[in-house]
Amino acid sequence: MRHAVVIGASISGLLAAAALSRIAERVTVLDRDELPEEDVHRRGTAQSRHAHGLLARGLEVMELLLPGLTAELMARGAFDGDLQADCRWINEGRRLAPAPGDMPGLLVSRLLLEGQIRRRVAGLPRVEVIGESQVFDLTRSGDRVTGVRLVSDETISADLVVDASGRGSRAPSWLGRLGFPVPEEDRVEIDLTYTTRVFRRSAGDLAGDPVVIMAATRAIPRAGVALAMEGDRWIVTIGGYGDAPPSDYEGFVAYAKSLPAPDIHELVASAEPLDEGCHHRTPASVRRRYERLSRFPRGLAVVGDAVCAFNPIYGQGMSVAAVEALRLGEWAGRERPAGELFRSIARVVDGPWDVVVSGDLRLPGVRGRRTSKIRMINAYLERFHRAAEHDVELGRRFLRVANLIDPPSALLRPACLLRVFRGAGAGSAGGSGRAGADRRNPGAGRAQQRSGAGAA
């Protein structure tokens, strides 16, 4: 392949470019925003102001595509941790039993992560990243896409065009104008609004634990996350289905008190606020079913949020995009029909999509079709989380699924079912695991030492 063009210089597009740089003579990444050297928020990535989770599988793939990335991020202030020992995972208001595990995590702001990935990708010998270049349309010859046309009316020829432009992708309308079928959409209307504030981080916060991830419950359809990040700061995002958290400090703290467990409220009620807060609304989770199309133009691919835009509260988007970039590189190197790529991407998306849809449809305000299968799985998972409060092994299995290492079906295997229904392992975690109560986390001291909280 001589030349590939990637539309979008967010994380999905940058990782796609990294994968394609291994097989293409030249890769050009185009983005409508100015792309400064320093790490700053920009119009095209409004979500960069909010908390982002980097899952274990996502970190693994990013390191594979850009060797040494983890060390570079840590040199700039990110820090690592044990996803089971150092993190407070709270489901159904209950804390997952903490214990030393085998899944490394990395705490880093979205701003630093994207900035460092962009610097690495732009530094690759066959890649050029160009800002202030907005794609208006595709060019074609017969049933093949031959490049892109910019709003400036400039055209750029390419053997492959990759749309990684996110939720606002224009690929469906482009396909319609080219005379190709448009993908069906699966939508789950969630009406999620969340608010984020940044706080100063001190050594005693949360007894040294650097992460709280708290899921909504049927009784309390509100969720939140608190992540330690570089610069001795906390980024705290809280949100609700059908209601919006206030951004003012007093309102933010009061809303945090209504969450299913007290951990985040305890943090924000005593930490020093560092900003004024900001909102973001996600009306729906959307999946475009490209894998079902009977015809698709040659020379075009679609990845990332342009294929499937998840409910962001689950923190899956960046990691799914990383795995999709890997699949894109494998497919492009074989020059196979687009249907093969989209079926491969569908297999990547299926598990996380099922988790998001099932989880959201258990909440009363979410609109969507609640099948008997979804009701059964949600009833089982409620029981699972009650057992995982005390059972370290169940906690490990849940985290392997949550971090995209194992498929969701792993939680339904016979050995797992047996532990859930027998309540095996109660008390084996060395503590109750209750949210907001367990202060004997075996990873807390290590997490505090790595984070450098309060050391400045």
Side-chain angles (χ1 to χ4, degrees):
M1 182 189 303
R2 293 188 304 276
H3 187 207
V5 167
V6 179
I7 304 171
S10 191
I11 286 177
S12 176
L14 292 168
L15 294 176
L20 291 171
S21 71
R22 301 180 175 191
I23 58 172
E25 294 177 14
R26 188 161 63 97
V27 180
T28 302
V29 183
L30 304 172
D31 198 277
R32 68 182 185 182
D33 288 350
E34 181 183 1
L35 300 173
E37 273 297 312
E38 62 273 18
D39 299 337
V40 296
H41 299 291
R42 55 189 179 89
R43 185 182 66 172
T45 55
Q47 70 275 21
S48 66
R49 298 180 183 275
H50 302 276
H52 280 68
L54 181 54
L55 305 179
R57 178 59 175 155
L59 177 60
E60 178 184 56
V61 174
M62 289 180 188
E63 185 68 25
L64 181 64
L65 291 171
L66 298 168
L69 177 66
T70 303
E72 293 165 0
L73 290 167
M74 292 179 67
R76 289 175 175 264
F79 52 94
D80 62 352
D82 183 313
L83 287 174
Q84 188 163 2
D86 300 336
C87 303
R88 298 188 186 187
W89 299 81
I90 301 172
N91 298 292
E92 298 301 326
R94 301 166 182 269
R95 183 180 180 181
L96 200 76
D102 57 359
M103 278 171 286
L106 189 71
L107 286 166
V108 57
S109 67
R110 164 66 186 256
L111 208 57
L112 173 56
L113 177 63
E114 183 174 315
Q116 189 61 20
I117 290 174
R118 186 169 66 246
R119 284 185 283 272
R120 281 293 306 276
V121 171
L124 294 173
R126 291 182 283 185
V127 177
E128 185 177 16
V129 181
I130 305 174
E132 298 181 288
S133 300
Q134 185 171 353
V135 174
F136 171 72
D137 206 349
L138 305 175
T139 59
R140 68 178 287 189
S141 176
D143 67 349
R144 184 176 189 91
V145 170
T146 58
V148 298
R149 179 176 288 108
L150 307 183
V151 293
S152 63
D153 210 34
E154 176 188 358
T155 60
I156 301 175
S157 299
D159 302 292
L160 175 65
V161 174
V162 179
D163 179 9
S165 58
R167 283 178 178 261
S169 166
R170 298 178 62 194
S173 62
W174 289 337
L175 289 173
R177 286 208 298 272
L178 292 173
F180 287 89
V182 174
E184 301 171 0
E185 279 191 359
D186 292 347
R187 292 178 64 90
V188 178
E189 305 291 338
I190 57 176
D191 191 20
L192 172 70
T193 303
Y194 49 91
T195 301
T196 296
R197 292 192 65 123
V198 176
F199 296 83
R200 191 175 308 282
R201 181 164 51 94
S202 302
D205 293 342
L206 295 176
D209 293 336
V211 177
V212 179
I213 299 171
M214 189 180 303
T217 68
R218 285 189 293 177
I220 306 174
R222 295 177 172 184
V225 59
L227 303 177
M229 62 178 181
E230 65 273 7
D232 285 340
R233 295 172 296 161
W234 288 102
I235 186 167
V236 181
T237 297
I238 56 177
Y241 293 76
D243 69 330
S247 58
D248 67 281
Y249 176 72
E250 292 77 11
F252 190 87
V253 172
Y255 191 98
K257 192 173 184 179
S258 73
L259 296 176
D263 306 59
I264 291 176
H265 175 257
E266 291 174 1
L267 172 65
V268 300
S270 58
E272 176 190 352
L274 298 178
D275 69 353
E276 296 301 316
C278 57
H279 296 291
H280 191 78
R281 181 173 178 266
T282 301
S285 297
V286 181
R287 182 176 183 181
R288 297 184 175 110
R289 292 288 189 166
Y290 284 100
E291 76 276 11
R292 296 177 180 172
L293 294 178
S294 58
R295 293 190 306 118
F296 196 82
R298 292 179 296 161
L300 178 65
V302 187
V303 297
D305 281 2
V307 172
C308 185
F310 298 94
N311 177 346
I313 209 76
Y314 289 81
Q316 297 171 318
M318 296 191 302
S319 297
V320 170
V323 181
E324 288 180 10
L326 207 58
R327 299 288 183 266
L328 172 70
E330 294 166 354
W331 166 80
R334 297 195 302 267
E335 298 185 357
R336 301 291 296 165
E340 184 174 306
L341 170 65
F342 291 131
R343 287 189 291 273
S344 177
I345 287 177
R347 289 190 290 272
V348 173
V349 170
D350 281 343
W353 178 256
D354 287 347
V355 167
V356 167
V357 170
S358 295
D360 284 343
L361 286 177
R362 80 190 194 283
L363 305 177
V366 173
R367 297 193 300 277
R369 184 167 171 261
R370 291 166 171 80
T371 64
S372 57
K373 177 183 176 182
I374 286 175
R375 290 191 181 94
M376 180 183 68
I377 288 176
N378 283 333
Y380 167 72
L381 288 177
E382 287 184 13
R383 186 161 184 169
F384 180 100
H385 292 309
R386 287 198 298 271
E389 182 180 10
H390 305 287
D391 191 323
V392 167
E393 177 59 21
L394 286 179
R396 186 187 72 84
R397 294 183 186 213
F398 168 77
L399 291 180
R400 287 184 63 85
V401 171
N403 283 274
L404 308 185
I405 298 169
D406 290 341
S409 59
L411 301 184
L412 300 172
R413 290 171 184 162
C416 203
L417 289 165
L418 191 63
R419 296 184 78 94
V420 170
F421 287 105
R422 285 186 175 177
S428 65
S432 70
R434 288 175 297 161
D438 187 355
R439 294 294 182 264
R440 290 174 286 176
N441 184 342
R446 296 192 306 277
Q448 180 176 329
Q449 187 176 31
R450 278 192 297 269
S451 71

